[in-house]
Amino acid sequence: MVLSGEGQRITVVLPAYNEEAAIPALLGRLEAAFAQHSLNGEFLVVNDGSTDGTEAAVRRHRGRLGVRLLGFDSNQGLAAAIKAGLVAAAASSAPDDIIVTMDADNTHPPELIAAMTSAIGAGSDVVIASRYQPGSRTFGVSRRRRLISFIANVLFRLVVRIPGARDYTCGYRAYRAGVLQRAIAQYRDQLIQRRGFTCMAEILVRLKPLRPVVREMPLVLRYDLKPGASKMRIGRTMRETIVLLLRSALRIA
C-alpha cells in the first residue's frame, strides 16, 4: 500500500452511463497506476442504465484487481449513481480505508490517486482534485462552461466556506471511508437530494458539520480525451446549484 502497507483498501467508484468507448482504457490506466504504487483495492462500476456496451466492456476487463459491477435497469442520473456507489463502498470498507470517486470517461488522471491516498494517510479526510490550485490545467472545456464552473465555485466558497476547499463541484475526490460512513449514518436517504452534477457540491455541504480535514491537489483535466459528448445539462445544473446555495445560506443564517 502507498500509505502504511498495513491494510488500507482503496475502492474506486466509477459512475458510468454509455461509456463503452472510454471505460476499457480507464480501467487499464487504473490497473497500471495501482500496480506502479503497490495499491490494493477494487474498482466499483455503477452502470447507470447504459444502452451501449458499457456493462459488457466492464465484464471483459481482466486485471490484477477485482471489478465489482452495480447497475440500474434505466438511467437514474449521476446523483443516484454516486449515491449507490458511495453507500456500497462504505458498507464494505473499514473506517481507515479510502473511497475514491472519479469520472468513467477517462478525463481524470488515475495517476493522481497515489498522492491523494497518501494525503489521506497523512491526516486528511477529503482530498479534492482541484481545478483551482497552482499547476492545474484544463483541456477541451468551453469558455462558457469554465466560466459557469468558476462562478459556482466562488459562490460555494462564499456561502458554504469549508476550510481547504476551493473546487466544490469536481467529482474526482478521495475520502476517508469513516467520514462517509458517519455521513451516511446521519443523513441516510437524504445524503444526496440534488440531481445531476450538483450532487458533488452537496456531498461537501453534508460533510461540513462533521468538520472534515480537506486538502486539494492540482488537477490536469483532459476533457479532450472524452470520446463522447458531455452529459451535463447546463440549465438543470444551474437551477440545482442555485437551490443548494439558497438552502445552504438559510441553514447558515
Side-chain angles (χ1 to χ4, degrees):
M1 283 296 296
V2 69
L3 304 177
S4 64
E6 306 215 349
Q8 291 96 338
R9 290 177 71 254
I10 303 169
T11 300
V12 180
V13 176
L14 300 167
Y17 176 61
N18 289 346
E19 298 293 358
E20 176 186 12
I23 205 162
L26 174 60
L27 291 174
R29 291 178 68 191
L30 281 165
E31 285 278 356
F34 271 58
Q36 179 181 357
H37 298 282
S38 301
L39 304 179
N40 179 44
E42 68 171 353
F43 310 138
L44 174 56
V45 179
V46 184
N47 180 25
D48 187 19
S50 296
T51 57
D52 66 354
T54 295
E55 181 173 339
V58 173
R59 293 190 183 280
R60 284 195 300 268
H61 176 75
R62 296 291 182 270
R64 181 176 64 91
L65 300 178
V67 179
R68 188 161 36 134
L69 185 64
L70 302 179
F72 302 126
D73 292 334
S74 60
N75 181 244
Q76 302 296 307
L78 177 63
I82 284 286
K83 181 178 178 180
L86 290 179
V87 169
S92 62
S93 297
D96 283 330
D97 286 343
I98 297 165
I99 298 171
V100 174
T101 58
M102 63 188 302
D103 291 354
D105 57 7
N106 207 25
T107 60
H108 292 161
E111 298 77 16
L112 192 57
I113 290 176
M116 295 169 76
T117 56
S118 289
I120 298 288
S124 299
D125 296 306
V126 181
V127 180
I128 302 170
S130 173
R131 294 160 292 180
Y132 306 112
Q133 288 293 326
S136 299
R137 298 189 69 185
T138 300
F139 298 92
V141 178
S142 69
R143 290 183 179 179
R144 180 190 179 203
R145 278 193 56 179
R146 278 186 285 175
L147 178 61
I148 291 171
S149 175
F150 177 77
I151 293 171
N153 279 287
V154 168
L155 291 173
F156 277 114
R157 292 201 293 271
L158 291 172
V159 174
V160 181
R161 298 189 299 273
I162 297 176
R166 296 188 69 198
D167 196 334
Y168 284 73
T169 57
C170 182
Y172 193 7
R173 298 178 187 158
Y175 303 89
R176 186 183 304 278
V179 74
L180 284 176
Q181 291 164 343
R182 290 165 59 199
I184 291 167
Q186 178 171 333
Y187 295 108
R188 299 185 183 274
D189 287 342
Q190 296 184 340
L191 176 68
I192 297 175
Q193 294 181 295
R194 304 266 55 86
R195 298 180 298 169
F197 289 78
T198 310
C199 69
M200 300 312 303
E202 184 176 20
I203 292 169
L204 291 181
V205 171
R206 296 298 197 199
L207 292 181
K208 182 181 177 180
L210 303 180
R211 299 182 181 276
V213 177
V214 178
R215 178 178 172 182
E216 291 196 336
M217 292 188 169
L219 168 66
V220 178
L221 178 64
R222 293 300 306 269
Y223 218 71
D224 56 328
L225 298 180
K226 184 178 177 65
S230 172
K231 301 175 181 69
M232 177 185 286
R233 300 178 183 178
I234 292 178
R236 187 176 76 175
T237 300
M238 292 175 65
R239 290 193 298 271
E240 291 286 317
T241 298
I242 291 169
V243 171
L244 179 60
L245 283 165
L246 288 173
R247 290 186 174 183
S248 299
L250 289 173
R251 279 197 293 269
I252 291 169

